[in-house]
Amino acid sequence: ALIEEICAIYANYPEFETQVLVASIRNPIHITQSAQIGADVATIPAKVLKQLISHPLTTQGLETFVKDWAGTGQKI
């Protein structure tokens, strides 16, 4: 809520060249919420950054793609 208020305040003053930085990111949802409310920058721990690419649906989708690609017999 605090970051949302800060973004709203600075949006009222476009002449201020200010970027809003979000810190204390603890999970991927914090990153999504920060982007949705208009934060410009976030400090993201490596653990949380890795969680962004370690989603079960991403893993499943990649496995399916690799299997389908292998079935075509094509090579890059």
Side-chain angles (χ1 to χ4, degrees), residues 28-57:
I29 298 298
H30 289 160
I31 297 169
T32 303
Q33 291 172 334
S34 297
Q36 287 174 334
I37 61 176
D40 300 293
V41 182
T43 59
I44 305 170
K47 174 185 172 186
V48 177
L49 195 57
K50 289 176 185 175
Q51 290 174 345
L52 286 173
I53 60 170
S54 297
H55 191 280
L57 292 178

